[in-house]
Amino acid sequence: RVNGTTASSCHAALQGSDFQGEITKLQTGASQATTQVCENELVLKELELLEEDAQVFKLIGPVLVKQELVEVKSNVNKRIEYIKADATRIERSLKAKNDEQNTVKEQIQALQKGK
C-alpha cells in the first residue's frame, strides 16, 4: 500500500484510463491546431498583399459571395485567435494527462519496490 493505494488499483487505473490513447488523441489535436494556425496566417499574409479596393470572394457551397476585405481580415484574425486558444487548452490537457500518467507510474513503481 502506498498512500492508501494498492498495486492492483494503480494497475487498473493505468490500464482503465488508457492514458496513451488519450495522450495520442491530444497530440493529434495539438498538431491539427498548429497546422490550422499556419494555414490561416498564410491566408492573412496573402490578404495583406491586396489593395484596399480589391474584390474578395468566399466560397459558400457552390456560390461565390463577395465580402469586404476588412471584414475578411478581421474574420481570419479572429479564427487565428480562436485556434491558438484551443491549442493552448489542448496543451494544458496534454500536460495534465502526462502528469497523471507519471504519477500512477510512480505509485506502481513504489508498490513494486515495497514487495
Side-chain angles (χ1 to χ4, degrees), residues 6 8 14 20-21 25 38-40 43 45 53 63 66 74 86 90-91 93 96-98 102 104 108-109 112:
T6 63
S8 61
L14 188 59
Q20 200 54 49
K25 190 186 300 183
C38 290
E39 290 172 351
N40 280 281
V43 168
K45 286 179 184 176
D53 61 346
V63 180
K66 187 175 178 180
S74 174
D86 194 43
I90 291 170
E91 289 296 330
S93 296
K97 190 54 70 178
N98 278 321
N102 290 336
V104 171
I108 290 172
Q109 289 171 350
Q112 288 173 342

Side-chain angles (χ1 to χ4, degrees), residues 74-91:
S74 174
N75 288 342
V76 173
N77 275 319
K78 287 177 188 174
R79 191 177 314 128
I80 290 170
E81 289 174 23
Y82 173 78
I83 296 168
K84 284 182 177 180
D86 194 43
T88 300
R89 181 194 55 80
I90 291 170
E91 289 296 330

Side-chain angles (χ1 to χ4, degrees), residues 3-66:
N3 295 333
T5 307
T6 63
S8 61
S9 65
C10 282
H11 186 67
L14 188 59
Q15 286 185 337
S17 295
D18 188 23
F19 286 110
Q20 200 54 49
E22 292 177 36
I23 289 171
T24 299
K25 190 186 300 183
L26 288 168
Q27 288 171 332
T28 300
S31 176
Q32 288 174 340
T34 301
T35 300
Q36 288 176 336
V37 167
C38 290
E39 290 172 351
N40 280 281
E41 286 176 343
L42 182 64
V43 168
L44 193 58
K45 286 179 184 176
E46 291 293 320
L47 290 172
E48 294 297 331
L49 297 175
L50 297 175
E51 300 288 328
E52 287 300 317
D53 61 346
Q55 291 185 347
V56 180
F57 296 87
K58 179 178 182 178
L59 184 62
I60 300 176
V63 180
L64 284 174
V65 178
K66 187 175 178 180

